[in-house]
Amino acid sequence: MLNYNGKIISKEEVSISPDNRAFKYGDGIFETIKVEHKKVIFAEDHYFRLMASTRMLRMDMAMHFTLEYFVEEILKLVASLELNDARIRFSVFRKIGGLYTPDTNGTDFLIEASELKVALKNDYEIELYKDHYVYSGLLSTIKSTNRLINVVANVFRQENDFDNLVLLNEKKQLAEATNGNIFLVKGSTILTPALTEGCIKGIIRKKIIELLQKDPNYTVEETEISPFELQKADEVFVTNAIIGIQPVTKYRRKTYDVSVSKEIGKKLRALALLG
C-alpha cells in the first residue's frame, strides 16, 4: 500500500505518468524518515527541511500541508500496513507539464513505507570515491531525486567489497558518505564538512551538532576537511535518519576507536525517544 496525495491505494493502482517530472528531470525531493512505536522520529525537523527544499526549488505546497497533516499522512499509511516501526520515503515532485520550464509549480506527493530494519555493523570499512565529484553548491544540500553519484558509487562499493564510500567535492575535499553525513573525531574536537562543501543537510547531522554544542567536553566544527584528515582522526562515524550513528572501524591501514561514536549514539537515541 502507498499514500498518493492523501489516498491509500495499492501499488498496482498507482499510475505514474511517463511525463512525471521526477522521472524526466529529477524534479523532485524526498525525505527518509524513521517511525518507531508508531511515532515519527524528528518529525518537525523533517517537515521543515522538506518545506525549505520546496521553497528553494520554487515548488508550491498546498495550504493544508501543515506539520500535523505531514505526520497524519505518514501514520495513516503505517497503520494501513499494520506496522509499529517503519522506514518511510516521503517524495514530493512537481506536477506534470512543460519541458525544462514547468507549466505549473504545484506538487504531488507519494509516501512509501516498509518494515524498519536497522543493523549496525561491528566491522565497517570505508574508502574514498574518486570517479565523480559532488558539486559544492546549495543545491547539493537538498535530497533531490537525482542521486546518480550515490548510485554509481555504491556499484563501485559493492564491486570492491567496502561498507561505504566517502564522496569528495570538486575541490577534492570531504563532502559526505554515500548514504549519510560523515564526522571525524580528533581528541575533543569533532569535525564535519560544512554545508558549503556540498553535503546533504542531514537531520541527524543537525541533531548531533546541537548535542555537541551543549556538551562542554567537545568542540564541534563545520569546516572544509581534507581526505588526509581521515588518517589522522581517532574516530570516524557516518550518520543518517535510519541508522542514527554507524561507527567506522577501518580506512585503508588506519583502524579507529568507537567509544566517542557510541557515547554520542546513546545521547542521540535518548533525544529521539524524548522528541
Side-chain angles (χ1 to χ4, degrees):
M1 305 299 290
L2 304 169
N3 185 330
Y4 187 52
N5 287 332
K7 183 180 180 182
I8 303 297
I9 56 178
S10 68
K11 288 186 177 182
E12 291 73 24
E13 293 178 270
V14 175
S15 177
I16 300 294
S17 168
D19 292 322
N20 179 280
R21 295 187 60 84
F23 167 70
K24 277 199 163 182
Y25 306 112
D27 191 7
I29 54 179
F30 69 99
E31 291 286 323
T32 304
I33 304 165
K34 182 191 286 188
V35 172
E36 287 189 300
H37 309 300
K38 299 181 181 179
K39 173 189 172 184
V40 181
I41 305 299
F42 301 135
E44 187 172 306
D45 296 277
H46 282 289
Y47 172 77
F48 284 114
R49 180 174 68 170
L50 181 68
M51 297 303 285
S53 298
T54 61
R55 286 193 294 273
M56 189 182 294
L57 296 179
R58 304 294 196 270
M59 292 177 173
D60 295 333
M61 300 297 287
M63 291 297 293
H64 65 265
F65 196 88
T66 61
L67 170 59
E68 292 72 22
Y69 180 79
F70 174 73
V71 172
E72 286 171 4
E73 292 303 315
I74 292 171
L75 294 181
K76 185 165 72 175
L77 177 61
V78 170
S80 74
L81 294 169
E82 299 182 346
L83 295 173
N84 288 317
D85 306 323
R87 178 191 181 111
I88 302 294
R89 178 177 168 123
F90 197 119
S91 302
V92 174
F93 38 90
R94 215 179 311 255
K95 289 182 180 291
I96 64 172
L99 301 176
Y100 283 144
T101 304
D103 288 342
T104 175
N105 289 318
T107 54
D108 292 319
F109 71 81
L110 177 69
I111 311 175
E112 303 164 75
S114 59
E115 183 181 357
L116 180 65
K117 297 178 181 178
V118 182
L120 298 180
K121 296 189 66 174
N122 292 324
D123 298 312
Y124 198 84
E125 183 177 3
I126 61 172
E127 182 52 85
L128 297 179
Y129 182 66
K130 299 179 180 180
D131 289 356
H132 304 285
Y133 300 104
V134 174
Y135 174 65
S136 59
L138 285 179
L139 278 179
S140 294
T141 67
I142 295 175
K143 292 196 74 172
S144 78
T145 53
N146 182 353
R147 312 307 301 168
L148 275 179
I149 188 170
N150 304 72
V151 173
V152 294
N154 272 298
V155 172
F156 177 90
R157 175 197 62 78
Q158 190 175 50
E159 289 173 347
N160 292 276
D161 201 27
F162 294 111
D163 295 297
N164 210 334
L165 298 179
V166 181
L167 305 179
L168 306 176
N169 62 26
E170 80 284 3
K171 299 178 291 184
K172 298 184 180 179
Q173 303 298 299
L174 302 188
E176 59 189 0
T178 61
N179 68 338
N181 295 107
I182 189 167
F183 287 78
L184 283 68
V185 182
K186 295 179 69 177
S188 62
T189 301
I190 299 180
L191 309 173
T192 193
L195 294 178
T196 51
E197 296 302 294
C199 66
I200 288 289
K201 194 175 182 179
I203 299 302
I204 302 304
R205 175 187 184 276
K206 174 177 178 286
K207 290 299 183 183
I208 289 173
I209 290 172
E210 291 173 353
L211 284 171
L212 294 173
Q213 287 173 337
K214 297 174 183 176
D215 192 330
N217 296 314
Y218 298 104
T219 300
V220 60
E221 296 182 9
E222 300 176 71
T223 185
E224 182 178 279
I225 305 174
S226 164
F228 294 110
E229 296 298 323
L230 289 170
Q231 297 281 9
K232 302 175 184 178
D234 301 316
E235 296 188 35
V236 174
F237 58 89
V238 174
T239 68
N240 67 40
I242 301 301
I243 62 171
I245 291 178
Q246 169 63 64
V248 175
T249 57
K250 185 178 181 183
Y251 167 67
R252 297 182 180 175
R253 296 184 180 179
K254 175 75 176 187
T255 57
Y256 300 109
D257 189 22
V258 298
S259 57
V260 174
S261 306
K262 290 186 175 181
E263 175 192 341
I264 299 171
K266 289 179 181 178
K267 292 179 180 179
L268 178 69
R269 178 68 178 163
L271 182 64
L273 293 174
L274 288 172

